[in-house]
Amino acid sequence: MSPRENGSEEEPVIRDNRKIDPETGKARDSAGDAAEAAPGDDGAETATAPAGGSATDLLAERTADLQRLQAEFSNYRKRVDRDRIAVREQAVASVLTELLPVLDDIGRARDHGELTGGFAKVSESLEAAVGKLGLTAYGAKGDPFDPTVHEALLHSYSAEVTEPTCVEILQPGYRVNDRILRAARVAVAEPSEETAPEETAAGSGESGGTDEN
């Protein structure tokens, strides 16, 4: 029965895929098959060209995202480290502030010669411990008065000073690194008020002599 009698309008296509040509007995060249497939490959190459460009753009975008995330993480880590240090300093300062009255008692006992025996060793150990935490005492007789680190409790005038000076330390000040925990409480003396009138009188005498000339 022919294809037309079978109801099919198209005749079957028979492809000879044998690698050996039965007529010549030689191996067939596969380049021809590749050449036949070549026209179809042009479309594939054309279609893949934009895909290659999109991949490059996508890689650049992902790289930029990764760099941005890395910078954000680095900033976050620095901020966490900075906050951790600030919290630690605040905690240490709070503990040391509570110990200041104890240190004052130790200082008064030392001034009165009562710091002896086992109490002396305990006080030395305590002072060494707070020193390791960064606590230092400041304030000495003769220091220039600085309102940012001194608290004036007494005020007087003296001819022995040329500027506001701490003439007595009533209570030492304490700081941790650059942070003031307690200002030093001092007695302040300023230059005597009698010095200013004398200088004024001397200046008036000089000006009178100039007028006579």
Side-chain angles (χ1 to χ4, degrees):
M1 181 180 296
S2 64
R4 294 182 180 277
E5 294 176 355
N6 196 25
S8 175
E9 297 181 355
E10 297 181 357
E11 297 182 357
V13 178
I14 300 175
R15 298 179 182 276
D16 188 358
N17 295 327
R18 291 176 293 181
K19 296 182 179 181
I20 304 298
D21 190 344
E23 297 180 358
T24 61
K26 297 181 179 180
R28 290 179 174 176
D29 188 4
S30 59
D33 298 337
E36 294 177 358
D41 294 343
D42 294 341
E45 292 177 358
T46 304
T48 57
S54 300
T56 302
D57 296 340
L58 183 61
L59 177 60
E61 182 180 354
R62 294 294 182 267
T63 302
D65 292 342
L66 181 60
Q67 292 175 347
R68 182 171 59 256
L69 290 175
Q70 185 177 6
E72 291 178 356
F73 177 74
S74 179
N75 293 334
Y76 168 77
R77 185 175 57 185
K78 292 178 181 178
R79 184 169 61 254
V80 169
D81 292 341
R82 184 171 59 251
D83 293 343
R84 185 184 298 111
I85 293 174
V87 170
R88 179 184 179 277
E89 291 179 349
Q90 180 64 36
V92 170
S94 298
V95 173
L96 293 177
T97 301
E98 296 298 326
L99 291 175
L100 295 185
V102 179
L103 297 176
D104 291 337
D105 292 338
I106 292 174
R108 284 189 290 266
R110 181 180 289 111
D111 294 338
H112 291 83
E114 299 175 357
L115 197 62
T116 59
F119 182 58
K121 295 184 179 297
V122 173
S123 62
E124 291 173 359
S125 298
L126 177 61
E127 290 174 341
V130 296
K132 290 180 180 179
L133 294 176
L135 182 68
T136 55
Y138 72 91
K141 184 177 179 179
D143 289 345
F145 176 71
D146 184 353
T148 61
V149 297
H150 296 131
E151 180 182 355
L153 300 183
L154 297 176
H155 179 268
S156 61
Y157 294 93
S158 174
E160 298 178 356
V161 297
T162 58
E163 61 179 347
T165 305
C166 301
V167 294
E168 187 177 355
I169 305 300
L170 305 177
Q171 196 174 46
Y174 288 96
R175 61 162 59 98
V176 176
N177 299 326
D178 295 333
R179 179 177 181 177
I180 302 297
L181 293 186
R182 187 182 71 187
R185 296 171 178 174
V186 300
V188 181
E190 292 188 70
S192 176
E193 293 181 341
E194 297 178 356
T195 305
E198 292 178 357
E199 293 178 353
T200 303
S204 300
E206 293 178 359
S207 60
T210 304
D211 294 338
E212 291 178 359
N213 291 336

